[in-house]
Amino acid sequence: MCRIFGSFAAAATGPELDTVSGRQRHGGPDERGVLTGRGWSLGCDRLAVTEPVGGAQPLRLPTVPGVLAVLNGEIYNHRELRRRLAARGHVFPDACDGSVLPALYAEYGPAFAEQLDGMYAIAIVDLRTTPQLVLAVDEMGMKPLHYHEGPGGAVRFASEIPALLAFDGVPADPCEETLDTVLATKTPFGTDTALRGIRVLPPGATAVAHGTRGLRVARRPPRAVAPAAGLLDTLRHEVHRLARADVPLCAITSGGLDSGLVTALAAEEAAPLHTFHLGYRGRWPHAEDTFARAVARRARTVHHHVEVDPKELMSLLTRTTRHLGQPNADPIALSTYALFRAVRGAGFTVALTGDGADELFGGYDRVRAALAAPAGSDWTAPYVDALAAAPRLLRERLYTPDYRAFIMERGSVADRITAELRAPRAAGSDRADTLTRFETRRRLPAYHLRRVDHLSMAWAVEARLPFCQPSVAALARTLPAEQKLGKRALYEAGVGLLPRAVLQRPKQPFTLPLAAMIAPGGPLLEPVRDLLSPDRLSRGGQLRPDRVRALLDRHLERPSDRDALTLWALAVHGLWTDVVQGLRVPVGCAA
């Protein structure tokens, strides 16, 4: 697990690369390696997980001179690949997973990623004939890779946006529609980011650049997965293999079904298993520590209950915003960052999580409501509104006339998502398939997986995601809608593994009680009020200060989850604009 970076068809100086590396060194504190040549550079900040004493990057092999590679992630089938490649004459200096990449590329060329099972973002520079850059990311998008294309085919890339912005020629230019995007979907979806010209490779993509042609991005055909057994057996297999590590490993246990299943199955393989749960000091609604402790007792783990002082929340918001490089209005980001800080502080380098289950197994209320809508009714508009931090009518009321006109002319991201969901339905696609495809291919990578990657690696922790493995995803696709709806299949799998109280409790997100914390006397009220001051909002020219103030007053009189989330999204966007200004100047980024 590492942070990677580089450039192609573009010069990069030593000090420039030092700054790029410095901005994401928190994710790879164990070793730094950089190689440069005429018109290219390749670098890695390594977090040593597999074969910690080997695996120096960039990766090179004597049997494949001129092929250089860097890897962020884990290649789970590297032992099988090493045996196959050794039979073809390749010699490897160590047993590290990334060491197979130059040989694999030599045998398969840009199609090499079709042979990989794992979570990864990979960059390869091929100098054997005409120089070529190849970038590849895993099928689910668990390891993001951001890039910028400049004049003359110049390509610059990095694991994190703040690092990418440290390259000369990569501007920190916010997209004008970002405010509407944050309110409509909480964070940018798909391949776009909140900064103009900066994109992220889509899941399962390979991109190739020759000379000055720039990148050509294509999605690979899905990797063939052997027929799976039942859901519980498949999930058990994936959890067990991901629970094997050369460094200390733990599990995140929120107290819900998804992380509870991962915890129970991991405890079968890794004993004693340490588990971590996060709460906030004081008495707050929707606390889950009782359920988390029940899961830990049932699985016989060594349980760590982490408490965060609410007075620290504003500092956490600033840090998470900087690490993410773009706004994310889901308050779960703060909890995620603080939790992985505790994991690293306790000496663990790998953590198993339950992310991805809701998307694959229909766990969201919005999905259930869309599937339950009568035939012929418009289920897309309510579904898209459920993605938002602020409903459409409220968004438009808060905008200035000029910004409202701009969004109407350009089209809101909500309009584009609605059109995307309606298009396949018109072609006869099944509603459940349409929703699952959107949740897993568009929302999951952008909304959850980038957050988990960035905020775990902020503390040099590798997060492993059993639910996002191809075999689990393939099995989920074969289940009838009634088995997926409300995660029925997962609840059935949990019988006998999890306490009855966990199986019978209603779904609750792992987050912080936002409405209570922005209420009168709450620890977030004054920071949010400061970020939404009339002077700040007037400078932006996109929001009406009087109507934002009226929204805050309404919430203070009658606190509500919806108003609190809207106010939080506005505050997050305002803070992000400040962070972007700071990233215009090359400075280091500490966790």
Side-chain angles (χ1 to χ4, degrees), residues 1-5 17-34 43-48 57 70-72 159 163 457:
M1 187 66 63
C2 308
R3 304 279 83 174
I4 63 175
F5 57 94
L17 295 172
D18 288 344
T19 304
V20 173
S21 171
R23 283 191 173 180
Q24 55 184 24
R25 189 68 188 275
H26 45 261
D30 295 331
E31 185 178 11
R32 177 176 182 264
V34 179
C44 175
D45 294 292
R46 187 184 180 211
L47 175 62
Q57 298 198 44
V70 288
L71 162 70
N72 169 28
S159 295
M457 291 295 279

Side-chain angles (χ1 to χ4, degrees), residues 1 12 155 184 232 254 378 390 392 428 431 451 472 507 548 585:
M1 187 66 63
V155 179
L232 182 57
S254 69
D378 179 20
R392 179 186 292 271
R431 188 187 302 182
R451 168 182 53 81
V472 179
K507 175 179 170 52
V548 173
V585 180

